Amino acid sequence: MIAGTPARSGRPRATSRADLERWGFELFARQGFDATTVDDIARAAGIGRRTFFRYFSSKNDLVWGDFAQQLTGFRDLLNATDPSTPIMDALRHAVVEFNRYDDASVPWHRQRMELILTVPTLQADATLRYAAWRAIVTEYVALRKGLSPSDMVPRMFGYALLAAAIAAYEHWLAEGETETELGDLLDAAIRQLESGLGEA
């Protein structure tokens, strides 16, 4: 079967981003991220190559899902925080909530993060996404402290919080299928960070 031809009879066409993500992740698990092409995903989903690009700009983009919308939710969580809440409490709550998934989504999210954190060809893309995530933290801290986002302290919060979150994710992935909740690990990592960073 060549790219752009319909899938074999009986296979429904993918009609949403979620459908394409599901087919993509199944192929990544079976044959590896680098060995899987956009054409492979399109064929598996029963769509043409051009249709794939209506949903995602690249194979890398599929791995990240709708990250831009998720970042909007992250910013909203911080902006909705009571201004009297200590900064680290506000950040910890927002990060934990931002990374909260229902039980059915956890296996998919685990696979997504394994790809993001371990596949070398995704690292350059991850750097840009992480920069956008850090910018939200930096801007929030700057606003709370009456500083410029370009000042050192807001930047430090952004980098330190990201490091804590990545450390928690790496530990979560290394543990495999355990009863340890991702949210608990994120909470613990940021509390550990707070004991050294505090309200600097």
Side-chain angles (χ1 to χ4, degrees):
M1 185 186 300
I2 62 173
T5 58
R8 61 178 176 268
S9 178
R11 177 180 291 177
R13 288 175 175 269
T15 56
S16 70
R17 291 173 66 95
D19 289 333
L20 282 174
E21 284 185 34
R22 179 170 57 85
W23 284 114
F25 280 112
E26 287 186 8
L27 288 171
F28 299 152
R30 187 182 315 143
Q31 58 194 43
F33 178 80
D34 290 330
T36 301
T37 67
V38 167
D39 289 334
D40 291 336
I41 299 169
R43 281 197 298 269
I47 61 173
R49 180 183 176 88
R50 285 189 299 177
T51 301
F52 175 94
F53 288 116
R54 292 175 191 164
Y55 293 95
F56 298 101
S57 62
S58 66
K59 183 175 65 170
N60 289 14
D61 194 33
L62 181 148
V63 173
W64 283 89
D66 197 353
F67 192 65
Q69 182 178 345
Q70 293 171 22
L71 287 181
T72 298
F74 184 41
R75 181 179 284 108
D76 290 344
L77 282 168
L78 287 170
N79 290 340
T81 304
D82 188 326
S84 66
T85 303
I87 290 177
M88 288 301 293
D89 287 348
L91 292 171
R92 186 178 65 255
H93 171 76
V95 170
V96 170
E97 289 302 313
F98 177 68
N99 290 280
R100 190 178 299 280
Y101 296 89
D102 60 50
D103 291 344
S105 300
V106 167
W108 289 106
H109 186 58
R110 183 182 292 276
Q111 186 181 0
R112 185 190 308 277
M113 293 308 300
E114 284 178 346
L115 289 169
I116 289 170
L117 292 174
T118 64
V119 175
T121 50
L122 285 169
Q123 296 311 299
D125 196 39
T127 299
L128 297 175
R129 312 272 183 162
Y130 290 155
W133 189 94
R134 285 199 323 271
I136 293 173
V137 174
T138 300
E139 290 164 8
Y140 174 77
V141 172
L143 181 64
R144 287 286 304 269
K145 289 184 171 293
L147 299 171
S148 167
S150 63
D151 287 342
M152 184 180 71
V153 168
R155 288 180 185 271
M156 181 174 64
F157 270 83
Y159 277 99
L161 200 68
L162 178 62
I166 291 176
Y169 259 106
E170 289 181 344
H171 186 74
W172 182 61
L173 294 174
E175 280 195 330
E177 300 292 337
T178 69
E179 294 184 0
T180 305
E181 295 286 344
L182 173 61
D184 292 340
L185 290 173
L186 288 164
D187 184 90
I190 297 171
R191 286 184 187 277
Q192 182 64 49
L193 177 65
E194 183 178 6
S195 69
L197 182 61
E199 291 289 325

